Amino acid sequence: MAKDVKKRPNGRWEARLRRNGNYLGAKVFDTRKEAEAWAQMMLAQHTDGVDLRRANRSVKDYVEEFHTYREQYTNAQSATRKTDRNMFKRIPGWFLELKVGKVETRHIEKVLFDDAKENPGRTTDSITRGWTTLSAFFKYLVKQKVIVRNPATGADKPKGRLVEEVIPWMGPEIFERYAVWKGLNQEMADVALVTYFLALRWGEVRALSVKDVRIKNFEEVYVWRSWSEGEQIKDTKTEDRRWVPVMEDIRPILQKLAEGRADGELLFAGLTRAKFKWRLKWKETAQGKVIHSLRHGGITTWVEAGVLAPVAMRWSGHKKSKTFDRYTHLVGNRVNRTAIDQLNQFAREQRRSL
């Protein structure tokens, strides 16, 4: 491999790289020193097995290759791979057109900050997940000897902002929503309440059978499989089977649903997101929240009621406390607000006694 550094007519310096007479790449600099340094760095990279010609391909050229690699050669779960694909759908065209060898940390940061700006309700964890996808993508390219370093490493990530619309229903709020939904469709209103008080993922709700709920006189529900739309029934997300206690608010609903039915029947036969949202007029009645807010609110209710975190984690199917904490951050906010109300009330009483 050879380098060629020459001064251009405009006074700038151009560094060119060739291998066996074939052109590999070039870059222009203000000084000869900068051109020499870049050429030397490229030479060093090439000796490590990096093919500069492959680095001249655009980001979009490697996206599908990356997804295939994740599917066939890694242990990434299907939910993770689906999230990766959705993330690349949100990435702007200008980034996808960049040559992978020229992507810098600032480009990664711009994608993340622009995404957060366009979606002000996105949480910090969601933003971090976007960074994780990009980091995994460029880590793959490093492993394949396309580039030398991962530009996502060390990138600053914007802080997510918790807005009112993404806060789950808490306390009596879920019963207020249930009353509204019942007036539209009883069946789907029951789905919502069961999902909330069992804190289930959507796929877990769809996979529930009559046998899973007809246990110990409806005191517990056995959660052991998931059925995402468009896929076959499989294990839960964490591949962990669990028992979830049945609160008295949903016991009559489960008893009625299971009455006179065979054990193997699905509890909510034919349930889909589209049907659920359409019958409950979700856009008009859900106050800007998403279906997952039902699970979020259920877990928060457990903790707010005093259930110890290890127990609540076992019920919810979380293996990592860091993941579980994302669902309970609002409890502290509620406690703080209650304490402030008490302090204000105390101050008012003190003023009245003067």
Side-chain angles (χ1 to χ4, degrees), residues 54-65:
R54 295 180 66 195
N56 280 327
R57 293 173 60 189
S58 66
V59 171
K60 66 180 181 181
D61 291 334
Y62 286 102
V63 172
E64 194 56 40
E65 183 180 311

Side-chain angles (χ1 to χ4, degrees), residues 6 36-38 71 113 129 132 196 201 210 216 223 237 247 253 274 287 325 333 335 341 354:
K6 291 183 178 180
E36 290 279 3
W38 176 82
E71 181 178 352
F113 276 83
R129 185 64 188 82
T132 301
Y196 185 95
R201 302 179 180 92
V210 173
K216 298 180 182 178
V223 182
K237 183 177 180 180
M247 294 181 64
I253 295 175
Q287 300 171 314
D325 288 344
N333 293 343
V335 172
D341 290 342
L354 293 177

Side-chain angles (χ1 to χ4, degrees), residues 343-354:
L343 288 172
N344 288 333
Q345 179 62 30
F346 176 78
R348 284 193 291 270
E349 291 175 355
Q350 292 299 308
R351 286 194 295 271
R352 282 198 295 268
S353 66
L354 293 177

